[in-house]
Amino acid sequence: MRQRHLAAAVAAVVLLGIHAPPVAAAGYPKDDGPLRQCDAGEARPSTPQAPPSADKIIAIPNIADIYDGRRCDISGMSIAVRDNGQVRDIYRLKGRRLIPDARLSPPTITAAQQAAIRTAAVENLKRRVETKARELIAEAAGARPGASREDLEAALRKTPVKVLIYAHGGLVSQEKAVFGAEGLAPVMIRDGYVPLFLIWNSDFLVSYGDRLCCVRRGSVDPNSGFNQWISIPTRLISDIGSSIATAPENYLQQVIRYKESVLDKDFDLYYLNYEDVLQDCGYFDAGHHRGHVCSNIVFPEFRPIVQARPGNYEKALLNGGFNNRRAKETFLYSIFFLPRVAATATVSQVGAQAWDNMVRRTRIAFDNESTPVNPADPNNGEKSCHDGSDLQRIDEPLTCPHGGFTLFFNDLTPYLAHVDDDDPTLAMITVKVDGLGEVQVPVTIEYYGHSMGAIVGDELISRYPGFPWSKIVYMAAADTVRDFKRMITLAIDSDPSRTRLAFYSLSLHPLNESREREGYGALPQGSLLEWIDEMFNLPKSGDDRTLGKWKNVEATLPTWRDGLLERMTFRVFPAQNNLKNSSPEEQRMFNAECDPTSAAGEDPPVICHPLKHGDFNSFSFWRQVYLTDKPAAPAP
């Protein structure tokens, strides 16, 4: 493991400054005691004047260190895998405090321990689902005194138990993933969900460290000695050399995009038009009738407040207002010219290799050669798995093909096997209730993935299309349009009667996507999705570009199969962070989705939509108003 530590250190030196240390939110108490339970009250130090409304978007606490008083224990609602795809612990003990187990080389967990962790995770999920089911039964019985069991079961079909599976994005370490889940869990539980977090290490430096020392042709290097030591300098020199060789083209791409999105005033690739919605909506209609408004495309809505305004006021608001940061962007772009040239000469191939290893980690979480399947071997008490790293066994067939996520969901499958015949988005479980006997309670699953979490979602849903999925939500999705279309085709075709299954794709405004700055502008301009499309994973066709950019999707609309787009909703968020210089009426409309009480104690003041690629999970993204800019309809 010393080689892996060395490789990570080399990667850190090469890319020093890309990862700034997190800054803890001001004003929150520090706590060195045991972690509280995530359902034990609100994760905020002060109580707002009024409880946050479920029809509004609220901010999620930004937990940045192990002593933050808002932390809670997510070990019973998470499944995590190590760098090799094996199941791992969520926490380790430091004094009296549970801290994320972020060690680069944690102690080996035996096959029996891994099986115990998976079993506990499945049983914890079942217990939480059944606890929520009993709460719903009690609520239904309280609203219908004297109702029969059959009447209660009919009522429960309208308010099923909702399991929320969330997968974080790339560039996220084990520690950050755990902190993020600790901030999300209490608010999800308060909103009536049973959360399940999928955690893996997608940290940039560790992923590139794997490239330097430990991964060869997509698998663990079978020669653990000479090859690993010699490969670190060799691959580092090769990657930097390749980056320098491709730097002119990469920099040209940035200059072109800067001209089109900052200097040009109305370039179609980055500016939105309400007229385009009228045209694009035709693809969402079975008859392909154009010229009408549809609910499948959601742009920032400014039209009701600008009807009396002259000229292009409406379009200006849609694209960031009149003060759309051109002067500031031009200034920062200019003064950081030389650092950006140096970064471009380093980042492209180094980043591409790290990205490849991040994608590899999502795959081995499902298909990993080295995960023990059986807890014990009669011969030596331990399952002996061949993972390709032992030269003496290189010709043997692989004996343990499944990763931690696959094994977990395989164990969970029997529990969700009884899918309702009339509505495949529901699975029926049996809950014993005093005075009622065995009650059939419906369970549904919603999946939310941010950035690389969409790649995990494609894999998960394609493998388990028969699960009672009701909602699939991707935020700034880093998967390709092509892969996404394959996944939803499989999900729909597996059971055409699953008509209530809905898909959502949420995107930044194209101008924000293009203008996003890292390192104050010293790094290549643009969001991670821009980097993927231009440097890390060059598209071979139009639908090989990332799904999370609306303009990528819009260009491929004619190629979608009939029956797919009708289930899709694409939302593009506003470009502005505020309208403080506009009229009070415009400000009220702009902030209509926000719950003002959710900003209590937060610094800076909360906004209700993402402005950068990493902002999506900073808000209550599971609420319908976040997905469509309209609150959810009340249950019938």
mmCIF file of all heavy atoms in Angstrom, residues 500-533:
data_model
loop_
_atom_site.group_PDB
_atom_site.id
_atom_site.type_symbol
_atom_site.label_atom_id
_atom_site.label_comp_id
_atom_site.label_asym_id
_atom_site.label_seq_id
_atom_site.Cartn_x
_atom_site.Cartn_y
_atom_site.Cartn_z
ATOM 1 N N ARG A 500 -46.550 5.211 -14.428
ATOM 2 C CA ARG A 500 -46.317 6.313 -13.504
ATOM 3 C C ARG A 500 -44.835 6.588 -13.284
ATOM 4 O O ARG A 500 -44.477 7.529 -12.568
ATOM 5 C CB ARG A 500 -46.992 6.025 -12.162
ATOM 6 C CG ARG A 500 -48.514 6.041 -12.231
ATOM 7 C CD ARG A 500 -49.145 5.777 -10.863
ATOM 8 N NE ARG A 500 -48.682 6.722 -9.862
ATOM 9 C CZ ARG A 500 -48.023 6.383 -8.756
ATOM 10 N NH1 ARG A 500 -47.728 5.117 -8.515
ATOM 11 N NH2 ARG A 500 -47.654 7.285 -7.875
ATOM 12 N N LEU A 501 -43.964 5.794 -13.893
ATOM 13 C CA LEU A 501 -42.529 6.028 -13.763
ATOM 14 C C LEU A 501 -42.145 7.301 -14.504
ATOM 15 O O LEU A 501 -42.404 7.437 -15.705
ATOM 16 C CB LEU A 501 -41.758 4.830 -14.312
ATOM 17 C CG LEU A 501 -40.231 4.957 -14.359
ATOM 18 C CD1 LEU A 501 -39.651 5.229 -12.980
ATOM 19 C CD2 LEU A 501 -39.622 3.689 -14.954
ATOM 20 N N ALA A 502 -41.535 8.249 -13.793
ATOM 21 C CA ALA A 502 -41.186 9.544 -14.376
ATOM 22 C C ALA A 502 -39.683 9.787 -14.247
ATOM 23 O O ALA A 502 -39.048 9.340 -13.288
ATOM 24 C CB ALA A 502 -41.957 10.666 -13.682
ATOM 25 N N PHE A 503 -39.128 10.500 -15.224
ATOM 26 C CA PHE A 503 -37.696 10.808 -15.262
ATOM 27 C C PHE A 503 -37.515 12.323 -15.289
ATOM 28 O O PHE A 503 -38.250 13.038 -15.967
ATOM 29 C CB PHE A 503 -37.039 10.193 -16.498
ATOM 30 C CG PHE A 503 -37.157 8.699 -16.575
ATOM 31 C CD1 PHE A 503 -38.265 8.115 -17.153
ATOM 32 C CD2 PHE A 503 -36.160 7.888 -16.075
ATOM 33 C CE1 PHE A 503 -38.388 6.741 -17.235
ATOM 34 C CE2 PHE A 503 -36.277 6.508 -16.146
ATOM 35 C CZ PHE A 503 -37.386 5.927 -16.726
ATOM 36 N N TYR A 504 -36.494 12.791 -14.557
ATOM 37 C CA TYR A 504 -36.196 14.216 -14.489
ATOM 38 C C TYR A 504 -34.701 14.426 -14.714
ATOM 39 O O TYR A 504 -33.878 13.674 -14.186
ATOM 40 C CB TYR A 504 -36.579 14.800 -13.130
ATOM 41 C CG TYR A 504 -38.047 14.706 -12.792
ATOM 42 C CD1 TYR A 504 -38.577 13.534 -12.252
ATOM 43 C CD2 TYR A 504 -38.903 15.777 -13.012
ATOM 44 C CE1 TYR A 504 -39.925 13.427 -11.941
ATOM 45 C CE2 TYR A 504 -40.257 15.694 -12.700
ATOM 46 C CZ TYR A 504 -40.758 14.516 -12.165
ATOM 47 O OH TYR A 504 -42.097 14.414 -11.865
ATOM 48 N N SER A 505 -34.376 15.447 -15.481
ATOM 49 C CA SER A 505 -32.982 15.837 -15.669
ATOM 50 C C SER A 505 -32.870 17.331 -15.389
ATOM 51 O O SER A 505 -33.538 18.144 -16.032
ATOM 52 C CB SER A 505 -32.512 15.529 -17.097
ATOM 53 O OG SER A 505 -31.172 15.945 -17.281
ATOM 54 N N LEU A 506 -32.042 17.688 -14.415
ATOM 55 C CA LEU A 506 -31.893 19.072 -13.975
ATOM 56 C C LEU A 506 -30.540 19.608 -14.430
ATOM 57 O O LEU A 506 -29.520 18.925 -14.298
ATOM 58 C CB LEU A 506 -32.005 19.166 -12.456
ATOM 59 C CG LEU A 506 -33.195 18.441 -11.806
ATOM 60 C CD1 LEU A 506 -33.186 18.659 -10.299
ATOM 61 C CD2 LEU A 506 -34.511 18.891 -12.408
ATOM 62 N N SER A 507 -30.539 20.829 -14.948
ATOM 63 C CA SER A 507 -29.323 21.397 -15.537
ATOM 64 C C SER A 507 -29.098 22.823 -15.072
ATOM 65 O O SER A 507 -30.053 23.563 -14.775
ATOM 66 C CB SER A 507 -29.414 21.397 -17.072
ATOM 67 O OG SER A 507 -29.606 20.109 -17.588
ATOM 68 N N LEU A 508 -27.828 23.215 -15.039
ATOM 69 C CA LEU A 508 -27.496 24.625 -14.887
ATOM 70 C C LEU A 508 -27.911 25.389 -16.135
ATOM 71 O O LEU A 508 -28.083 24.810 -17.215
ATOM 72 C CB LEU A 508 -25.986 24.795 -14.691
ATOM 73 C CG LEU A 508 -25.339 24.259 -13.419
ATOM 74 C CD1 LEU A 508 -23.835 24.493 -13.482
ATOM 75 C CD2 LEU A 508 -25.922 24.898 -12.176
ATOM 76 N N HIS A 509 -28.048 26.696 -15.990
ATOM 77 C CA HIS A 509 -28.204 27.542 -17.171
ATOM 78 C C HIS A 509 -26.948 27.371 -18.031
ATOM 79 O O HIS A 509 -25.833 27.302 -17.513
ATOM 80 C CB HIS A 509 -28.369 28.995 -16.740
ATOM 81 C CG HIS A 509 -28.829 29.904 -17.833
ATOM 82 N ND1 HIS A 509 -28.024 30.256 -18.893
ATOM 83 C CD2 HIS A 509 -30.018 30.540 -18.040
ATOM 84 C CE1 HIS A 509 -28.688 31.070 -19.699
ATOM 85 N NE2 HIS A 509 -29.908 31.251 -19.211
ATOM 86 N N PRO A 510 -27.082 27.264 -19.356
ATOM 87 C CA PRO A 510 -25.896 27.060 -20.200
ATOM 88 C C PRO A 510 -24.807 28.110 -20.008
ATOM 89 O O PRO A 510 -23.613 27.796 -20.121
ATOM 90 C CB PRO A 510 -26.468 27.117 -21.619
ATOM 91 C CG PRO A 510 -27.893 26.691 -21.473
ATOM 92 C CD PRO A 510 -28.333 27.216 -20.140
ATOM 93 N N LEU A 511 -25.182 29.354 -19.714
ATOM 94 C CA LEU A 511 -24.166 30.384 -19.466
ATOM 95 C C LEU A 511 -23.374 30.069 -18.207
ATOM 96 O O LEU A 511 -22.140 30.217 -18.176
ATOM 97 C CB LEU A 511 -24.831 31.756 -19.353
ATOM 98 C CG LEU A 511 -25.402 32.343 -20.643
ATOM 99 C CD1 LEU A 511 -26.136 33.647 -20.355
ATOM 100 C CD2 LEU A 511 -24.306 32.578 -21.668
ATOM 101 N N ASN A 512 -24.052 29.630 -17.153
ATOM 102 C CA ASN A 512 -23.342 29.262 -15.926
ATOM 103 C C ASN A 512 -22.468 28.043 -16.150
ATOM 104 O O ASN A 512 -21.377 27.926 -15.574
ATOM 105 C CB ASN A 512 -24.339 28.997 -14.804
ATOM 106 C CG ASN A 512 -25.019 30.261 -14.313
ATOM 107 O OD1 ASN A 512 -24.973 31.288 -14.981
ATOM 108 N ND2 ASN A 512 -25.658 30.201 -13.174
ATOM 109 N N GLU A 513 -22.940 27.113 -16.951
ATOM 110 C CA GLU A 513 -22.163 25.913 -17.266
ATOM 111 C C GLU A 513 -20.840 26.310 -17.922
ATOM 112 O O GLU A 513 -19.779 25.781 -17.595
ATOM 113 C CB GLU A 513 -22.966 25.031 -18.214
ATOM 114 C CG GLU A 513 -22.552 23.577 -18.237
ATOM 115 C CD GLU A 513 -23.194 22.776 -17.133
ATOM 116 O OE1 GLU A 513 -24.431 22.639 -17.116
ATOM 117 O OE2 GLU A 513 -22.435 22.258 -16.278
ATOM 118 N N SER A 514 -20.914 27.243 -18.856
ATOM 119 C CA SER A 514 -19.731 27.643 -19.612
ATOM 120 C C SER A 514 -18.806 28.554 -18.825
ATOM 121 O O SER A 514 -17.585 28.492 -18.976
ATOM 122 C CB SER A 514 -20.166 28.359 -20.900
ATOM 123 O OG SER A 514 -19.048 28.851 -21.604
ATOM 124 N N ARG A 515 -19.380 29.406 -17.978
ATOM 125 C CA ARG A 515 -18.584 30.437 -17.313
ATOM 126 C C ARG A 515 -18.067 30.020 -15.939
ATOM 127 O O ARG A 515 -17.375 30.802 -15.278
ATOM 128 C CB ARG A 515 -19.425 31.700 -17.139
ATOM 129 C CG ARG A 515 -19.846 32.340 -18.440
ATOM 130 C CD ARG A 515 -20.815 33.478 -18.157
ATOM 131 N NE ARG A 515 -21.220 34.158 -19.376
ATOM 132 C CZ ARG A 515 -22.071 35.177 -19.408
ATOM 133 N NH1 ARG A 515 -22.614 35.599 -18.286
ATOM 134 N NH2 ARG A 515 -22.391 35.742 -20.551
ATOM 135 N N GLU A 516 -18.418 28.843 -15.487
ATOM 136 C CA GLU A 516 -17.995 28.438 -14.137
ATOM 137 C C GLU A 516 -16.483 28.523 -14.014
ATOM 138 O O GLU A 516 -15.738 28.055 -14.873
ATOM 139 C CB GLU A 516 -18.471 27.020 -13.831
ATOM 140 C CG GLU A 516 -18.154 26.594 -12.413
ATOM 141 C CD GLU A 516 -18.845 25.290 -12.031
ATOM 142 O OE1 GLU A 516 -20.015 25.097 -12.413
ATOM 143 O OE2 GLU A 516 -18.205 24.471 -11.343
ATOM 144 N N ARG A 517 -16.043 29.125 -12.914
ATOM 145 C CA ARG A 517 -14.610 29.304 -12.684
ATOM 146 C C ARG A 517 -14.171 28.498 -11.470
ATOM 147 O O ARG A 517 -14.860 28.455 -10.458
ATOM 148 C CB ARG A 517 -14.283 30.780 -12.445
ATOM 149 C CG ARG A 517 -14.346 31.642 -13.691
ATOM 150 C CD ARG A 517 -14.011 33.090 -13.368
ATOM 151 N NE ARG A 517 -15.072 33.732 -12.589
ATOM 152 C CZ ARG A 517 -14.995 33.975 -11.282
ATOM 153 N NH1 ARG A 517 -13.913 33.627 -10.607
ATOM 154 N NH2 ARG A 517 -15.992 34.562 -10.641
ATOM 155 N N GLU A 518 -13.012 27.878 -11.567
ATOM 156 C CA GLU A 518 -12.368 27.212 -10.442
ATOM 157 C C GLU A 518 -11.014 27.873 -10.231
ATOM 158 O O GLU A 518 -10.349 28.262 -11.185
ATOM 159 C CB GLU A 518 -12.187 25.716 -10.707
ATOM 160 C CG GLU A 518 -13.479 24.940 -10.844
ATOM 161 C CD GLU A 518 -14.259 24.820 -9.550
ATOM 162 O OE1 GLU A 518 -13.646 25.070 -8.486
ATOM 163 O OE2 GLU A 518 -15.459 24.505 -9.600
ATOM 164 N N GLY A 519 -10.623 27.990 -8.972
ATOM 165 C CA GLY A 519 -9.353 28.645 -8.690
ATOM 166 C C GLY A 519 -9.316 30.071 -9.160
ATOM 167 O O GLY A 519 -8.278 30.540 -9.652
ATOM 168 N N TYR A 520 -10.451 30.781 -9.051
ATOM 169 C CA TYR A 520 -10.583 32.182 -9.449
ATOM 170 C C TYR A 520 -10.344 32.405 -10.941
ATOM 171 O O TYR A 520 -10.165 33.535 -11.388
ATOM 172 C CB TYR A 520 -9.628 33.077 -8.639
ATOM 173 C CG TYR A 520 -9.886 33.036 -7.156
ATOM 174 C CD1 TYR A 520 -9.130 32.209 -6.337
ATOM 175 C CD2 TYR A 520 -10.891 33.795 -6.588
ATOM 176 C CE1 TYR A 520 -9.378 32.147 -4.974
ATOM 177 C CE2 TYR A 520 -11.152 33.743 -5.222
ATOM 178 C CZ TYR A 520 -10.386 32.914 -4.411
ATOM 179 O OH TYR A 520 -10.637 32.855 -3.074
ATOM 180 N N GLY A 521 -10.318 31.346 -11.704
ATOM 181 C CA GLY A 521 -10.085 31.485 -13.134
ATOM 182 C C GLY A 521 -8.724 30.990 -13.570
ATOM 183 O O GLY A 521 -8.379 31.050 -14.750
ATOM 184 N N ALA A 522 -7.928 30.473 -12.610
ATOM 185 C CA ALA A 522 -6.597 29.966 -12.961
ATOM 186 C C ALA A 522 -6.656 28.583 -13.589
ATOM 187 O O ALA A 522 -5.691 28.145 -14.218
ATOM 188 C CB ALA A 522 -5.704 29.931 -11.724
ATOM 189 N N LEU A 523 -7.767 27.883 -13.414
ATOM 190 C CA LEU A 523 -7.963 26.585 -14.046
ATOM 191 C C LEU A 523 -8.818 26.752 -15.288
ATOM 192 O O LEU A 523 -9.463 27.791 -15.473
ATOM 193 C CB LEU A 523 -8.642 25.626 -13.062
ATOM 194 C CG LEU A 523 -7.826 25.278 -11.817
ATOM 195 C CD1 LEU A 523 -8.655 24.434 -10.865
ATOM 196 C CD2 LEU A 523 -6.547 24.556 -12.187
ATOM 197 N N PRO A 524 -8.838 25.763 -16.165
ATOM 198 C CA PRO A 524 -9.664 25.877 -17.366
ATOM 199 C C PRO A 524 -11.093 26.259 -17.030
ATOM 200 O O PRO A 524 -11.686 25.754 -16.074
ATOM 201 C CB PRO A 524 -9.571 24.480 -17.984
ATOM 202 C CG PRO A 524 -8.231 23.975 -17.552
ATOM 203 C CD PRO A 524 -8.039 24.523 -16.167
ATOM 204 N N GLN A 525 -11.640 27.162 -17.833
ATOM 205 C CA GLN A 525 -12.976 27.666 -17.571
ATOM 206 C C GLN A 525 -14.027 26.609 -17.890
ATOM 207 O O GLN A 525 -13.852 25.776 -18.768
ATOM 208 C CB GLN A 525 -13.231 28.904 -18.421
ATOM 209 C CG GLN A 525 -14.531 29.626 -18.116
ATOM 210 C CD GLN A 525 -14.744 30.802 -19.042
ATOM 211 O OE1 GLN A 525 -14.158 30.865 -20.110
ATOM 212 N NE2 GLN A 525 -15.600 31.737 -18.644
ATOM 213 N N GLY A 526 -15.136 26.655 -17.154
ATOM 214 C CA GLY A 526 -16.247 25.755 -17.420
ATOM 215 C C GLY A 526 -16.463 24.761 -16.297
ATOM 216 O O GLY A 526 -15.575 24.483 -15.482
ATOM 217 N N SER A 527 -17.668 24.201 -16.248
ATOM 218 C CA SER A 527 -18.010 23.211 -15.232
ATOM 219 C C SER A 527 -17.356 21.867 -15.536
ATOM 220 O O SER A 527 -16.750 21.667 -16.600
ATOM 221 C CB SER A 527 -19.529 23.028 -15.181
ATOM 222 O OG SER A 527 -19.973 22.358 -16.352
ATOM 223 N N LEU A 528 -17.521 20.929 -14.616
ATOM 224 C CA LEU A 528 -16.988 19.583 -14.832
ATOM 225 C C LEU A 528 -17.559 18.976 -16.114
ATOM 226 O O LEU A 528 -16.845 18.275 -16.846
ATOM 227 C CB LEU A 528 -17.316 18.697 -13.632
ATOM 228 C CG LEU A 528 -16.929 17.219 -13.761
ATOM 229 C CD1 LEU A 528 -15.430 17.052 -13.915
ATOM 230 C CD2 LEU A 528 -17.433 16.412 -12.564
ATOM 231 N N LEU A 529 -18.840 19.230 -16.406
ATOM 232 C CA LEU A 529 -19.435 18.661 -17.621
ATOM 233 C C LEU A 529 -18.778 19.236 -18.868
ATOM 234 O O LEU A 529 -18.611 18.518 -19.875
ATOM 235 C CB LEU A 529 -20.943 18.923 -17.643
ATOM 236 C CG LEU A 529 -21.745 18.339 -16.478
ATOM 237 C CD1 LEU A 529 -23.232 18.477 -16.738
ATOM 238 C CD2 LEU A 529 -21.388 16.873 -16.223
ATOM 239 N N GLU A 530 -18.401 20.506 -18.842
ATOM 240 C CA GLU A 530 -17.659 21.078 -19.968
ATOM 241 C C GLU A 530 -16.307 20.403 -20.107
ATOM 242 O O GLU A 530 -15.854 20.095 -21.215
ATOM 243 C CB GLU A 530 -17.481 22.589 -19.779
ATOM 244 C CG GLU A 530 -18.764 23.390 -19.784
ATOM 245 C CD GLU A 530 -19.319 23.607 -21.181
ATOM 246 O OE1 GLU A 530 -18.822 22.987 -22.137
ATOM 247 O OE2 GLU A 530 -20.262 24.402 -21.327
ATOM 248 N N TRP A 531 -15.645 20.144 -18.985
ATOM 249 C CA TRP A 531 -14.346 19.469 -19.024
ATOM 250 C C TRP A 531 -14.483 18.055 -19.588
ATOM 251 O O TRP A 531 -13.639 17.607 -20.378
ATOM 252 C CB TRP A 531 -13.754 19.400 -17.620
ATOM 253 C CG TRP A 531 -13.281 20.706 -17.059
ATOM 254 C CD1 TRP A 531 -13.640 21.960 -17.469
ATOM 255 C CD2 TRP A 531 -12.365 20.884 -15.988
ATOM 256 N NE1 TRP A 531 -13.018 22.915 -16.710
ATOM 257 C CE2 TRP A 531 -12.228 22.280 -15.787
ATOM 258 C CE3 TRP A 531 -11.666 20.029 -15.164
ATOM 259 C CZ2 TRP A 531 -11.392 22.817 -14.801
ATOM 260 C CZ3 TRP A 531 -10.845 20.555 -14.173
ATOM 261 C CH2 TRP A 531 -10.707 21.929 -14.003
ATOM 262 N N ILE A 532 -15.550 17.362 -19.190
ATOM 263 C CA ILE A 532 -15.746 15.995 -19.686
ATOM 264 C C ILE A 532 -15.947 16.007 -21.197
ATOM 265 O O ILE A 532 -15.323 15.224 -21.927
ATOM 266 C CB ILE A 532 -16.946 15.340 -18.981
ATOM 267 C CG1 ILE A 532 -16.637 15.122 -17.497
ATOM 268 C CG2 ILE A 532 -17.297 14.006 -19.638
ATOM 269 C CD1 ILE A 532 -17.834 14.672 -16.683
ATOM 270 N N ASP A 533 -16.809 16.888 -21.675
ATOM 271 C CA ASP A 533 -17.111 16.924 -23.111
ATOM 272 C C ASP A 533 -15.940 17.406 -23.957
ATOM 273 O O ASP A 533 -15.813 17.017 -25.122
ATOM 274 C CB ASP A 533 -18.324 17.830 -23.365
ATOM 275 C CG ASP A 533 -19.639 17.177 -22.968
ATOM 276 O OD1 ASP A 533 -19.652 15.941 -22.787
ATOM 277 O OD2 ASP A 533 -20.640 17.898 -22.834
#
